[in-house]
Amino acid sequence: MRRAIVGLFLLVAGCGKVGDPLPPFVRIPGAVKDLAVHQTGYSLVLTWTNPARNIDGSAATDLTQIRIRSNDSVIAAVNVNAAGQMQSYEFPVGSTLLQQRTFTVQAETARGKLSENSNPASITPVEVPGKVAGLKAVVDQRKITLYWGKPQDHPELADVYLVNRIDPPEEPAVVSETSYEDDRYQADKTYVYELTAVRRFQGRMVPGVGPEPITVLAEDRNRLGGLPRVSKRSHRWRIQTGDRSSGHHECVY
């Protein structure tokens, strides 16, 4: 009995012992690895994928912001839409034409922990063509044809044109002429196009100001009666020989 009491005492004493406290987990998000930048009109657009995991391999569940830096200065903080998802940020070029700019981003958590800097993304903004002029559409039984003129602003920079059918969507087309034919349509449907003049610069395509939209209703010409009908008209004339009339002829068409 005495031994049993001593053993019970030792068991209770062992259960009550508390070990050394463990340090809290420090969740630091992984770095963005696919930062890219491009110019459209007089705006710059940054794109990247938010980190999906922290540096210890755990899921990045508490991302709050992406800090955007330009030449080592923070220029914006963007709310995170979701971990592991693509995101973008657009902002005006400003007065930095023909000056190279380099960007990096950092992910930030709700506890203020920052990731390492992303890969750098650099660009030199350039002058671009303005909006195309006089955009119009002509519909016949076989195709929709778009016509337009060169931009009024910097027409010399319009090297090609980007035609984008956005509703219903089709693959964009790049053309060098100021017209475009689309035979992929159905009668009695509405189609929406966007047209942008594009500059070629050092191996890249830089979209100009725009896009310029146009909505086209592809009416069924067969239902409307087909081709325009030519009315029959009677033309009479006299053939004169000297001073005497030799009669008259009638032509009907």
Side-chain angles (χ1 to χ4, degrees), residues 143-165:
K143 60 185 179 296
I144 298 172
T145 305
L146 303 179
Y147 298 94
W148 63 89
K150 282 183 170 290
Q152 293 184 352
D153 296 330
H154 298 291
E156 74 283 359
L157 301 180
D159 296 315
V160 292
Y161 300 91
L162 178 65
V163 183
N164 189 14
R165 197 177 88 179

Side-chain angles (χ1 to χ4, degrees), residues 29-90:
V32 170
K33 298 180 180 180
D34 62 348
L35 181 66
V37 60
H38 67 272
Q39 180 182 354
T40 176
Y42 292 109
S43 296
L44 296 180
V45 182
L46 291 171
T47 59
W48 67 90
T49 303
N50 294 322
R53 296 192 173 276
N54 298 311
I55 59 175
D56 63 358
S58 60
T61 58
D62 62 344
L63 297 178
T64 57
Q65 289 186 331
I66 296 293
R67 292 189 181 185
I68 300 174
R69 296 178 176 272
S70 174
N71 300 333
D72 296 328
S73 298
V74 176
I75 62 171
V78 182
N79 291 333
V80 171
N81 55 16
Q85 298 297 313
M86 288 285 296
Q87 198 159 342
S88 64
Y89 177 69
E90 182 174 345

Side-chain angles (χ1 to χ4, degrees), residues 10-204:
L10 293 175
L11 179 62
V12 172
C15 291
K17 185 178 180 181
V18 179
D20 295 333
L22 297 175
F25 288 106
V26 178
R27 304 297 192 191
I28 299 176
V32 170
K33 298 180 180 180
D34 62 348
L35 181 66
V37 60
H38 67 272
Q39 180 182 354
T40 176
Y42 292 109
S43 296
L44 296 180
V45 182
L46 291 171
T47 59
W48 67 90
T49 303
N50 294 322
R53 296 192 173 276
N54 298 311
I55 59 175
D56 63 358
S58 60
T61 58
D62 62 344
L63 297 178
T64 57
Q65 289 186 331
I66 296 293
R67 292 189 181 185
I68 300 174
R69 296 178 176 272
S70 174
N71 300 333
D72 296 328
S73 298
V74 176
I75 62 171
V78 182
N79 291 333
V80 171
N81 55 16
Q85 298 297 313
M86 288 285 296
Q87 198 159 342
S88 64
Y89 177 69
E90 182 174 345
F91 54 99
V93 170
S95 59
T96 60
L97 292 177
L98 299 179
Q99 298 178 24
Q100 179 172 295
R101 300 184 64 179
T102 300
F103 301 91
T104 58
V105 297
Q106 284 181 293
E108 184 177 3
T109 68
R111 297 185 179 184
K113 300 300 181 182
L114 292 172
S115 71
E116 294 183 356
N117 283 330
S118 69
N119 63 293
S122 299
I123 192 171
T124 301
V126 296
E127 190 64 77
V128 294
K131 286 187 176 183
V132 299
L135 178 59
K136 63 180 181 180
V138 175
V139 182
D140 65 20
Q141 291 180 334
R142 292 173 295 276
K143 60 185 179 296
I144 298 172
T145 305
L146 303 179
Y147 298 94
W148 63 89
K150 282 183 170 290
Q152 293 184 352
D153 296 330
H154 298 291
E156 74 283 359
L157 301 180
D159 296 315
V160 292
Y161 300 91
L162 178 65
V163 183
N164 189 14
R165 197 177 88 179
I166 60 174
D167 186 19
E170 282 284 352
E171 286 293 324
V174 177
V175 298
S176 57
E177 304 296 329
T178 54
S179 64
Y180 173 75
E181 294 182 353
D182 184 6
D183 59 2
R184 302 159 298 174
Y185 81 95
Q186 298 179 12
D188 289 333
K189 286 193 174 182
T190 299
Y191 294 84
V192 180
Y193 299 85
E194 290 183 343
L195 196 77
T196 309
V198 179
R199 178 184 182 181
R200 288 195 179 104
F201 180 78
Q202 295 183 352
R204 61 188 172 103

